[in-house]
Amino acid sequence: MWRAYYNHRFLKMFTLLLRLIRTQLHLNWFLTFRAAYYSALAATNYRLKKGHEDYKKAAELELRWWDVHRYPSKYQQSLVNSLAKGMAVIYNVKPEILQEYARYRAEAMLLPKHNGDKQKNPPDWHQIETLLIKAWHSAHQSLQK
């Protein structure tokens, strides 16, 4: 998939995403297609917008949301705001328009509680999946405006 991405073979990347999502997430075909479509669209959009992104800032913000998620008491910033800022710098938009995306994604990230299936009450992976689809759909809608 990465090879297709770097070689600008976006249809190939999409078909590989279909296979990946179907085999790893076991979604029905409608949801598989939808998730692959939004993922491929985001990757293609990012790949073709060379020169407009601030890679160092994007990398810093990517690490920041990981830290905010892992060590929330150390940071003043919420996970939602941290995720929105990270995505905003990549797409060169204001973080405010990505708040819904970030809220869905943060909610999905908090459900496994770092213990995954080992916790007494394992997370509802279907719910996590649904939230992630909503997150990426929201990001797509927000970035189209």
Side-chain angles (χ1 to χ4, degrees):
M1 194 171 62
W2 284 8
R3 186 177 189 179
Y5 169 82
Y6 286 112
N7 289 324
H8 290 215
R9 296 182 63 206
F10 300 118
L11 183 58
K12 172 104 175 153
M13 180 184 67
F14 171 73
T15 59
L16 292 169
L17 272 166
L18 278 172
R19 189 171 7 160
L20 172 78
I21 291 167
R22 180 72 176 162
T23 59
Q24 295 297 310
L25 300 178
H26 307 287
L27 299 175
N28 65 46
W29 278 109
F30 174 76
L31 291 176
T32 296
F33 185 86
R34 191 172 174 186
Y37 171 77
Y38 289 124
S39 298
L41 189 64
T44 302
N45 192 24
Y46 182 78
R47 181 73 176 143
L48 297 176
K49 286 189 175 185
K50 289 183 182 176
H52 298 288
E53 52 284 318
D54 179 345
Y55 292 117
K56 185 175 185 302
K57 184 71 171 172
E60 287 172 4
L61 291 171
E62 180 75 9
L63 290 173
R64 172 64 55 92
W65 75 250
W66 276 96
D67 282 343
V68 168
H69 177 50
R70 184 167 286 167
Y71 311 108
S73 62
K74 275 179 64 175
Y75 294 90
Q76 298 292 322
Q77 187 176 36
S78 73
L79 180 58
V80 171
N81 288 336
S82 187
L83 286 163
K85 284 182 180 180
M87 182 71 106
V89 77
I90 291 169
Y91 288 99
N92 196 28
V93 296
K94 293 182 188 284
E96 294 78 30
I97 72 164
L98 293 164
Q99 287 293 308
E100 182 182 69
Y101 147 80
R103 185 175 47 78
Y104 284 131
R105 188 162 175 208
E107 191 176 339
M109 292 168 66
L110 294 172
L111 289 175
K113 297 183 177 55
H114 298 291
N115 294 322
D117 291 330
K118 295 177 189 172
Q119 47 195 33
K120 183 177 178 182
N121 296 314
D124 181 348
W125 291 105
H126 178 71
Q127 181 185 9
I128 292 168
E129 196 175 288
T130 300
L131 288 166
L132 290 173
I133 290 169
K134 286 180 178 182
W136 292 110
H137 178 72
S138 176
H140 171 73
Q141 294 295 98
S142 297
L143 295 169
Q144 297 305 308
K145 295 178 184 177

